[in-house]
Amino acid sequence: MSKFFSSKYASLVPYTPGEQPRDMQYIKLNTNESPFPPSPKAMAAAAEAAKGLQLYSDPTAQKLNEAMAAKYGVSTDEIIMTNGSDEVLNFAFMAFCDETHPAVFADITYGFYSVFADINRIPSTVIPLREDFTLSIDDYIAAKGTVFIANPNAPTGLLLPLSEIERLLQSDPSRMVIIDEAYIDFGGKSCVPLIHKYDNLLVTGTFSKSRSMAGARLGFGVANKELIRDLNTIKYSTNPYNVNSMTMASGIGCLSDEDYTRENCEKIISARAYTMQALREMGFTVTDSRANFVFARHPAIAGEELYLKLRQKGILVRHFTSPKIADYNRITIGTMEQMQVFVQTVKEILK
């Protein structure tokens, strides 16, 4: 770091994104992107919006908010659109956490939570997952602070039922709960309807996974209008034009093509089932994922070794160095054809 870098960030450990290599053509199963292109309607809308790039984007995202409100059964003042779901999560750390309201999250979960806590200088309480990687709400009932839960969790893919989330919300109505639903479309039920029942709930989501728009950077938050007003205070104090015109237009186009999104989710769910069964037949331990990835380890080969051998053969998966999960790899679900190549390659490596 330079001599000008603020000392308050001297110990900051940034989030490590998944590899985006350029040295060869890979089957890319490491960053939970969709293997399918965006909806043709989304692409056409973005191209049309490009004609007006000399103008600022709409800071209120009115048309997109209207489309989202119709999709999720809420009002337009109960939604905030952001530059990816990372932005709305960061807004939540800024708005709802401080020295007296620490951030509370699991030890094995989305890696950005700890970074958001550190960069905003917010104390955090880290609660270990159970030995089987499940998140027990009982461990959070007495926790003081603002709770962040990824559901399904990453990188495990495990899903909490709505009844457990309600139990947490009910246990302390004065405590904020943020449910990060980046992967909910691959096998879970959204918490969004609960925002009208609990005023301490914020649900976040993204267009990056099920809607094939990772490169567009579009996320959102849904909550009661008072909480959304809080988040907008942060937004308008940092970057009021946070969603660009092409992304906004592509989001509206995507929402007008729900059949396309559902069909792609069904294909990924089918390929996930095939991959989980094939891995288990090879002796892997595989978590019961409800996301667009699986989390697996094999007793005969270290997680890093398998990752490196797959990489040599042109297949990228995500390996984490944390001791608790170092024997595991997270494998994004691609097309059925890609997963068949992956399974065959793993068989060859194990031989």
Side-chain angles (χ1 to χ4, degrees):
M1 64 184 68
S2 78
K3 63 182 179 181
F4 304 105
F5 194 59
S6 174
S7 61
K8 67 183 178 182
Y9 297 129
S11 61
L12 183 65
V13 179
Y15 175 73
T16 303
E19 294 176 88
Q20 300 285 356
R22 300 289 184 265
D23 58 324
M24 62 178 282
Q25 188 69 36
Y26 290 92
I27 293 179
K28 202 165 175 300
L29 308 178
N30 66 323
T31 49
N32 298 343
E33 297 147 320
S34 173
F36 306 110
S39 158
K41 294 181 180 180
M43 290 189 282
E48 181 65 23
K51 298 175 183 178
L53 287 182
Q54 76 277 17
L55 303 175
Y56 283 112
S57 58
D58 174 12
T60 69
Q62 180 180 347
K63 292 182 179 178
L64 180 54
N65 272 17
E66 290 171 355
M68 288 287 289
K71 159 68 180 172
Y72 287 99
V74 298
S75 62
T76 56
D77 58 1
E78 293 173 326
I79 296 169
I80 183 172
M81 303 305 302
T82 56
N83 191 320
S85 60
D86 290 336
E87 186 175 54
V88 70
L89 288 167
N90 190 34
F91 287 172
F93 273 83
M94 296 170 72
F96 306 125
C97 301
D98 53 32
E99 290 77 9
T100 59
H101 298 84
V104 181
F105 48 84
D107 62 337
I108 304 298
T109 189
Y110 184 33
F112 235 136
Y113 298 160
S114 60
V115 178
F116 289 144
D118 288 345
I119 200 167
N120 290 302
R121 309 184 81 178
I122 294 164
S124 57
T125 300
V126 178
I127 298 179
L129 297 179
R130 298 293 175 95
E131 287 299 313
D132 60 357
F133 295 131
T134 55
L135 185 152
S136 174
I137 290 299
D138 289 335
D139 297 335
Y140 290 76
I141 294 295
K144 301 301 181 184
T146 299
V147 177
F148 293 81
I149 294 177
N151 195 45
N153 196 17
T156 66
L158 297 177
L159 179 76
L160 282 171
L162 292 189
S163 58
E164 285 297 277
I165 292 170
E166 281 208 73
R167 192 157 68 88
L168 178 64
L169 290 163
Q170 293 168 352
S171 67
D172 184 357
S174 67
R175 173 179 53 203
M176 272 294 300
V177 175
I178 291 85
I179 303 297
D180 177 357
E181 292 189 341
Y183 303 100
I184 200 67
D185 293 335
F186 300 106
K189 191 172 181 181
S190 176
C191 291
V192 167
L194 297 180
I195 70 159
H196 296 132
K197 188 175 180 182
Y198 302 99
D199 64 4
N200 58 331
L201 171 65
L202 167 65
V203 184
T204 67
T206 180
F207 280 57
S208 295
K209 316 301 181 184
S210 62
R211 299 183 186 278
S212 304
M213 286 176 52
R217 310 309 303 130
L218 184 60
F220 60 92
V222 189
N224 69 70
K225 62 184 180 181
E226 287 79 14
L227 295 180
I228 296 299
R229 189 180 299 118
D230 296 339
L231 295 172
N232 272 316
T233 297
I234 302 296
K235 168 190 160 178
Y236 283 99
S237 301
T238 53
N239 183 13
Y241 304 105
N242 62 331
V243 181
N244 70 71
S245 300
M246 292 176 67
T247 291
M248 241 184 270
S250 63
I252 294 169
C254 177
L255 290 169
S256 71
D257 201 2
E258 284 294 278
D259 287 345
Y260 182 83
T261 296
R262 281 195 297 269
E263 288 169 9
N264 286 342
C265 287
E266 289 168 5
K267 291 175 184 176
I268 289 170
I269 291 169
S270 178
R272 181 182 69 199
Y274 159 79
T275 304
M276 291 171 69
Q277 180 179 345
L279 288 173
R280 285 170 175 156
E281 288 174 354
M282 286 186 275
F284 279 84
T285 298
V286 185
T287 59
D288 187 20
S289 175
R290 289 295 180 269
N292 68 334
F293 56 82
V294 297
F295 196 55
R297 70 174 175 87
H298 196 280
I301 186 169
E304 185 178 21
E305 182 183 358
L306 178 59
Y307 153 72
L308 290 172
K309 288 187 174 181
L310 284 167
R311 198 181 195 285
Q312 290 170 359
K313 294 178 180 293
I315 299 175
L316 289 178
V317 298
R318 187 74 188 265
H319 179 255
F320 299 92
T321 57
S322 171
K324 194 170 181 179
I325 56 174
D327 284 336
Y328 283 78
N329 284 297
R330 191 195 68 194
I331 303 124
T332 302
I333 301 300
T335 64
M336 183 63 80
E337 293 74 20
Q338 287 175 324
M339 302 321 295
Q340 288 168 345
V341 172
F342 164 78
V343 166
Q344 184 58 39
T345 304
V346 172
K347 287 179 179 179
E348 293 170 3
I349 290 171
L350 291 178
K351 286 180 182 178

